[in-house]
Amino acid sequence: MTDEREPREPGRGERLARILLRPTDAAALAAFRFLFGLLGTVSAARFLAYGWVDDFFVKPKSFLHYWGFEWVEPLSSRGMHALFVALAAVSACVAVGLFYRAAIVLFFLGFTYIQLVDVTNYLNHYYLVSLLALLMSFMPLHRAYSVDAWLSKKPPSDTLPAWCTYLLRFQVGTVYFFAGLAKVNADWLLHAQPLNIWLSSRTYLPVIGPLLGERWVAYAMSWAGCLFDLTVVLFLMMPRTRIAAYAVVLVFHAATKALFPIGMFPVIMVVAALAFFSPSWPRRLLRAFGRKAQDPDLPAPPAAPRPFNACVAAAACYCAFQLLWPLRTHLYGGDVLWHEQGMRFSWRVMLREKNGSVTYLVTNPRTGRTQEVPPRKYLNSRQERDFSTQPDLILQLAHRIARDFEAKEGVRPVVRAQALVSLNGRPAELLVDPERDLAQVSDGLARASWIKPSPQSPPIHLEAIAWHRP
């Protein structure tokens, strides 16, 4: 008697495993690993060569901490310099795939620690680098085209599971999408601010300089930037538009690099956007230059390992967090560009021009005597520039002043702040309640009632420069 039953249809979990574990050409991810490591080496070397290690981590008298990470302190001068040398070394190891697993984990820990030392150093692309390093820590990117593969007794593999590419695409796509979504606001679209302010300050540039003073140019660039961020991932995903979309990526980030002091961000995004290309794009590029580069044979997807479901659940939680965390500011209401609650880690890139000045009034409750304490007593000029527009940092320094006063005078003082801030060229207004004793206010995730409402006036409109008129 023969078995005539129909072949069993794969279940939902089995189909998901086939999609995520499908072997793909390892060439693209090997190129990504190399470029990521190279960027890490160059960035660490720049900090050492330009003296930024001293400027950012040694010379400041005080550091402002992230909420929940107040315990993170900088190392000694020698320690910080050694850390950056180590970061350059492990980045080089990541690039060539030498001791890759240990190198990428150490890079993630070291780089993230550096970012946690002082909030005033926060940049969106530093956060992105930490996230990419975290994801790469779980990826076997040393299987192919690496020193590890060359030294291994096992035969080298030319393939990597598809989930590695999917995760990188998700992370990079998240940055672009939320950066575009954040630009859908009145200041950016209806008033072309802060671009109008920034472009008008660059009219000294040759050839294009006079044009940057025109208001219509600021409007055109504001709308183009918003549409670019919102749509570029879609066009990068489609094979027919991918090359053209990447050309636009190159032009867009080259322009932002030329016009604005935004560090390595354009370079990082140009490298990160390569994740949307075919896994075999390096081989195709070699063939275009007449070199032999044969595509590897792609075997059938392997059977799902035992912890597959747990790994999928962990990845789903990570993706859900990345989608929800940038939206948390909507729970606070108001203008996030003003109160800054939910501003960090939400991919709000280049949305505000804020300038402020802060003076603390410290009152001894025993004597009633009040004295002024300038932030410069604790912060250098760079730290003060960033601190003076961010309410949670103003609160944090108020606590520091209160502790120092209490240690010296033996009594907890009343600490109030006169913080005048201008947002996108508006007249300066009070950022925090000047009558509130900040020494009695606790920091946290709750809505801050001690922050004043955002200004209701429109941002400044700079007049066009009559460069073409007699």
Side-chain angles (χ1 to χ4, degrees):
M1 185 175 179
T2 58
D3 187 354
E4 297 181 350
R5 287 179 298 181
E6 293 289 332
R8 184 180 64 85
E9 286 291 328
R12 186 178 300 175
E14 201 171 340
R15 291 198 298 271
L16 180 62
R18 289 181 181 180
I19 294 172
L20 297 179
L21 299 178
R22 177 176 59 86
T24 60
D25 191 345
L29 288 174
F32 181 84
R33 185 202 71 221
F34 174 77
L35 293 172
F36 184 89
L38 183 63
L39 284 177
T41 304
V42 171
S43 297
R46 276 161 49 93
F47 266 80
L48 291 165
Y50 293 137
W52 295 341
V53 178
D54 290 326
D55 293 341
F56 286 77
F57 303 104
V58 178
K59 292 180 180 177
K61 292 176 288 187
S62 301
F63 295 91
L64 296 168
H65 301 289
Y66 290 92
W67 181 78
F69 291 90
E70 296 83 0
W71 49 274
V72 178
E73 295 291 346
L75 303 173
S76 65
S77 175
R78 284 188 177 182
M80 293 306 302
H81 282 83
L83 177 57
F84 274 85
V85 171
L87 275 180
V90 296
S91 297
C93 289
V94 169
V96 300
L98 175 62
F99 307 128
Y100 170 77
R101 287 287 195 186
I104 191 64
V105 171
L106 290 174
F107 175 84
F108 165 70
L109 294 175
F111 191 87
T112 303
Y113 160 75
I114 287 172
Q115 306 319 311
L116 291 176
V117 167
D118 191 349
V119 183
T120 62
N121 296 334
Y122 173 81
L123 290 173
N124 284 287
H125 61 275
Y126 290 161
Y127 176 44
L128 175 61
V129 169
S130 280
L131 292 179
L132 290 176
L134 174 64
L135 294 177
M136 292 170 67
S137 299
F138 294 95
M139 298 178 182
L141 301 188
H142 59 315
R143 278 188 187 173
Y145 310 105
S146 69
V147 177
D148 285 347
W150 182 64
L151 294 175
S152 175
K153 296 180 180 177
K154 297 180 181 178
S157 172
D158 288 338
T159 65
L160 285 168
W163 63 265
C164 299
T165 300
Y166 295 154
L167 262 184
L168 291 178
R169 288 178 178 175
F170 167 80
Q171 188 60 71
V172 178
T174 300
V175 176
Y176 277 118
F177 174 73
F178 280 110
L181 194 63
K183 290 181 173 67
V184 183
N185 66 72
D187 277 19
W188 187 270
L189 296 178
L190 301 183
H191 303 286
Q193 294 295 4
L195 274 187
N196 187 213
I197 296 173
W198 296 337
L199 294 176
S200 297
S201 68
R202 288 160 175 77
T203 53
Y204 60 85
L205 293 174
V207 184
I208 64 170
L211 201 60
L212 300 180
E214 294 286 340
R215 190 185 300 173
W216 68 266
V217 173
Y219 275 101
M221 291 184 66
S222 293
W223 280 81
C226 181
L227 291 174
F228 169 81
D229 284 340
L230 286 174
T231 61
V232 70
V233 170
L234 176 64
F235 291 120
L236 284 170
M237 292 289 290
M238 295 190 293
R240 288 186 177 181
T241 57
R242 186 172 295 144
I243 297 294
Y246 193 70
V248 175
V249 168
L250 293 176
V251 172
F252 177 84
H253 288 299
T256 56
K257 177 70 175 176
L259 291 173
F260 309 115
I262 51 178
M264 297 289 285
F265 180 72
V267 182
I268 292 170
M269 295 311 293
V270 164
V271 170
L274 291 172
F276 292 96
F277 277 78
S278 160
S280 296
W281 72 261
R283 298 182 198 278
R284 295 177 182 178
L285 186 64
L286 289 174
R287 288 198 289 267
F289 285 94
R291 304 293 297 274
K292 291 183 179 179
Q294 186 176 358
D295 290 341
D297 295 328
L298 301 179
R306 178 167 293 182
F308 177 74
N309 291 337
C311 294
V312 170
C317 290
Y318 175 86
C319 293
F321 177 81
Q322 290 298 321
L323 293 174
L324 294 175
W325 190 241
L327 300 174
R328 69 191 187 282
T329 188
H330 297 290
L331 299 175
Y332 296 106
D335 186 353
V336 64
L337 303 182
W338 179 254
H339 60 62
E340 303 259 345
Q341 290 195 283
M343 183 74 181
R344 301 185 195 104
F345 315 113
S346 64
W347 311 120
R348 287 176 164 80
V349 183
M350 298 184 67
L351 290 177
R352 69 207 194 301
E353 171 65 29
K354 290 177 84 172
N355 297 283
S357 65
V358 180
T359 301
Y360 290 99
L361 301 176
V362 182
T363 302
N364 187 327
R366 289 178 180 167
T367 65
R369 181 174 175 270
T370 297
Q371 65 182 88
E372 291 187 1
V373 177
R376 184 63 61 89
K377 182 178 178 181
Y378 293 87
L379 308 175
N380 62 29
S381 58
R382 181 193 57 79
Q383 290 175 304
E384 187 176 2
R385 185 173 59 251
D386 289 332
F387 136 93
S388 62
T389 62
Q390 302 184 50
D392 63 329
L393 302 188
I394 294 174
L395 176 66
Q396 190 177 141
L397 188 57
H399 289 174
R400 169 68 185 277
I401 292 172
R403 288 197 301 272
D404 288 353
F405 187 95
E406 186 174 14
K408 182 179 180 181
E409 303 293 338
V411 61
R412 188 75 169 175
V414 174
V415 181
R416 294 169 290 141
Q418 295 281 347
L420 285 169
V421 172
S422 167
L423 172 62
N424 289 340
R426 294 177 174 86
E429 296 192 19
L430 289 169
L431 179 60
V432 302
D433 185 348
E435 302 302 323
R436 194 71 175 266
D437 179 9
L438 297 181
Q440 301 299 323
V441 176
S442 299
D443 196 6
L445 299 178
R447 185 175 180 178
S449 61
W450 47 276
I451 301 176
K452 300 285 284 185
S454 60
Q456 297 302 307
S457 59
I460 191 173
H461 271 190
L462 298 180
E463 295 295 331
I465 298 175
W467 62 277
H468 57 289
R469 299 167 191 158

